[in-house]
Every structure is written in C-alpha cells, then in structure tokens.
Amino acid sequence: MSGVTHSGTTAHPVPLVVLDMAGTTVADDGLVERAFAAALPGHDARQLDHVRATMGASKIAVFRQLCDGDEERAHQANTAFERAYAELVAAGHCAPLPGAEDTVRRLRAEGRTVVLTTGFARDTQDRILAALGWQRLADLTLCPADAGRGRPHPDLVLTALLRTRAADDVRHVAVCGDTASDITCGRRAGAGVVAGVLTGAHDAPTLRAAGATHVLRTVAELPELLRREA
C-alpha cells in the first residue's frame, strides 16, 4: 500500500498510531509455531522457546539466530516458514481479533493516521490483508523490508512517521503490540504511548518489563486510552 502524505499534524496530541498485526489485530492461534515447526523439522525445545521469546521480531532475524549465523540456511528456513504460514492463511486459518477492524476505522474516523506493521515478509503480509479484506483498512502497511530492520529495532515506527508525515514529533506517536519486541521497538523509537495488549504472545509482566507505558486487554481499548491522553 502506498504511503499517505500529510503536510502537517492534526489537532490530536497522538495523530499517528502504529499497530502490530498477528496477536494484536489479527488472531494468531498458534500459526507462527506451526509454521516454525514446518520450517525447522526436528527442532528442539530451546529453539521453540527462542521463537516464543522473539515473537513479533523480524522472522529472518530470528532464523539467523536459530541457524547460528548460517545465512543460506536461515534464508531457506525463512522461505519455508513464510510458505507454511501462507498455506495456513490460504486454508482459512486467519481471522481478525474481536474489535480490531472497528478500532482501526474508529481511529481513522477521529482523524488519526493508522499504520499496520508486521515481522513477516511483504508477500505474507499481503496474503493476510487479502484474506481479511483489509487492503484499504489502514493508511499504510509496513514490513521489515520497507524499513531496513524489523522489530525490536525502531525502524518500523520511524518509517511510519517518515512515510506518513502525520506527526512532527515521535513523542506524538502511539505504538500497540502484543510482544516484548513490539514494546522495545516503540520505546527505542521514542513513541509517547507504547501499549501492550494481552491477546497475543506475551503476558502483562513481560510487556511491562519491556517498558510498556500501558497494558490493555485488547486493542479495542486503545481509542479510549488515546482520548484520555488528550
């Protein structure tokens, strides 16, 4: 999706909202772990624990770590992972989390710019968006390749700010995600609101330990939070 261009900020103190997809706005239901198992057959418990701990991070970066820096093997595993995940999506294992679509529409109706981000490759992200009918739901969608580096680096949030020009200060950006990687990304970028949600991979203590400014039950609570921040 092409980026929107704004000449200035809106009247909102938080005019730009950056939302994660799987686990935050899109139900995961174990799909990441199932695709991982297909990508690295014979994996051990340590590797699975690493996948769980790094949920939300760039998938190719995770496979580089799992493959001990073997670039060829990491790319092969990542390709197998993306293929397996795409097959699960095509088989109908993809659904929005309750209230997620309404939340995005509500935020945009309030005049805020909304960007959907992911740790998946662009092709997989596009397949998810198509399966949900979300191709035009947000103002912009970003994957790690669009930003340079995926989470937990700050690049996705900063790229959202640069592409949309929706805010003139990164402190006026809100980030929302379900993993420690999402929270770390938002904190490193300098976002003023970095909210964790409990619909995905990580629990409240993990999100708070990563630096979440708020912990919400679901993304549907975000609009009210942002109104309180006004």
Side-chain angles (χ1 to χ4, degrees), residues 216-230:
L216 310 176
R217 287 174 297 177
T218 75
V219 72
E221 296 180 351
L222 185 62
E224 180 59 32
L225 168 62
L226 296 184
R227 278 198 299 275
R228 295 199 305 267
E229 293 293 307

Side-chain angles (χ1 to χ4, degrees), residues 99-204:
E101 184 170 338
D102 287 343
T103 295
V104 175
R105 295 190 187 282
R106 186 174 177 182
L107 291 170
R108 294 185 71 190
E110 292 172 352
R112 306 181 200 272
T113 297
V114 178
V115 178
L116 293 174
T117 63
T118 185
F120 296 131
R122 166 56 64 183
D123 181 65
T124 302
Q125 184 181 38
D126 285 345
R127 288 174 185 267
I128 295 170
L129 293 168
L132 299 176
W134 282 10
Q135 297 95 323
R136 299 185 181 278
L137 179 64
D139 293 280
L140 178 69
T141 63
L142 294 173
C143 68
D146 298 319
R149 297 175 298 180
R151 298 181 291 245
H153 300 289
D155 303 31
L156 281 167
V157 174
L158 296 177
T159 299
L161 178 62
L162 292 169
R163 291 270 191 97
T164 64
R165 303 182 187 178
D168 57 12
D169 189 323
V170 74
R171 292 173 294 181
H172 300 160
V173 177
V175 174
C176 186
D178 67 296
T179 69
S181 291
D182 295 312
I183 302 304
T184 301
C185 173
R187 295 292 300 207
R188 287 178 175 176
V193 173
V194 184
V197 293
L198 301 177
T199 49
H202 293 158
D203 60 15

Side-chain angles (χ1 to χ4, degrees), residues 22-96:
T24 303
T25 55
V26 181
D28 174 62
D29 293 331
L31 298 190
V32 168
E33 290 187 21
R34 290 167 64 182
F36 163 74
L40 282 180
H43 62 275
D44 57 32
R46 177 191 61 83
Q47 290 173 313
L48 182 56
D49 286 343
H50 183 74
V51 169
R52 290 169 175 161
T54 56
M55 287 286 191
S58 167
K59 295 301 175 282
I60 182 60
V62 172
F63 281 113
R64 286 189 180 111
Q65 294 164 349
L66 290 173
C67 296
D68 299 320
D70 185 330
E71 193 70 11
E72 181 178 358
R73 185 170 170 235
H75 276 280
Q76 290 173 345
N78 186 63
T79 298
F81 171 89
E82 299 283 351
R83 183 186 305 114
Y85 198 98
E87 289 172 353
L88 290 167
V89 170
H93 300 288
C94 184

